[in-house]
Amino acid sequence: MAGTIFDKATAAAQFVNARTELRPRIAIVLGSGLGAFAEQLEGARAIAFALIPHFPQSTVPGHSGKLVIGMVSGVPVAVMQGRVHAYEGYSSEEVTFPVRVLGRMGVKTLVLTNAAGGINEGLKQGQLVLISDHINLSGRNPVAGPNDERFGPRFFDMSEAYSERLRLLAHDAAKEMEFRLDEGVYLSVLGPSFETPAEIRAFRTLGADLVGMSTVQETIVARHMGMEVLGVSCVTNMAAGIQKEPLSHEEVMATGRAVEAQLAGLLRRAVPLMGEQLTSG
Ligand code: HPA
């Protein structure tokens, strides 16, 4: 069975585990312009994606591409600073490979963050939103094809893809920081072109509050492996047709940079809450 995704993910996990004594049960993926949290870990060990066997390399500016393992508020965490996207030409197997590796390292709780366009007009540019559910319009599913039972079952439930328990903890962390987190449905597209105004109207009719080009594939794979998922979007722009200015990657990055300190604060508070639950439960 050499050369299966399971074997490759196991080899990559062993490579990472050999470089740190920490055994994180919580991992966090930082999206576009949202990398600051990774700089705040104590006793951190950073490993460039390029060094990890079989790991995909990001080609997008703003996704620096390293796995950082360290401590936050006394809890060991693995942080992916950057990710790869299907629009770069990667298969959904490649896009989700890092999540497979985190799972093989023993991670049980996955926090996925991203930059997203706001479809719901009640949202504001620059705010953080908890993902309550998703709509997969990326045209892909990372678990299509032969199923490897060592990861998880052929068919699996997605009715609570984003853990209600973790969302409650995130709300508690936001309360400590004296801001309120909205929740919304995240719809994923392949990209990299932004949407047309007609697409955004259609997505609103479908029940979407947010639109983006990541996260959903990773959530599916994490659920396949039985991990609990928390999703956090940063509304980097209002979606096409809502805001007057044309959309740009520069705007996405600039808003991300303006919000990354707040996101880092939220994660710093939420992680120990999640850590306590893990050790006591
Ligand atoms: N659309 C898709 N993806 C995005 C957007 C958007 O408006 N903003 C940030 N990521």
Side-chain angles (χ1 to χ4, degrees), residues 63-83:
H63 293 260
S64 65
K66 54 188 180 188
L67 177 64
V68 188
I69 296 170
M71 302 288 290
V72 60
S73 316
V75 180
V77 289
V79 179
M80 294 239 317
Q81 200 176 25
R83 55 151 68 88

Side-chain angles (χ1 to χ4, degrees), residues 220-242:
I220 293 171
V221 160
R223 297 301 296 146
H224 185 228
M225 299 178 85
M227 293 182 210
E228 227 182 338
V229 178
L230 179 71
V232 186
S233 285
C234 167
V235 181
T236 54
N237 55 280
M238 292 310 288
I242 302 176

Side-chain angles (χ1 to χ4, degrees), residues 115-117 189 194-195 211-213 236-237 239 247 252:
V189 292
F194 288 116
E195 302 69 40
V211 60
M213 304 174 191
T236 54
N237 55 280
L247 274 50
V252 168

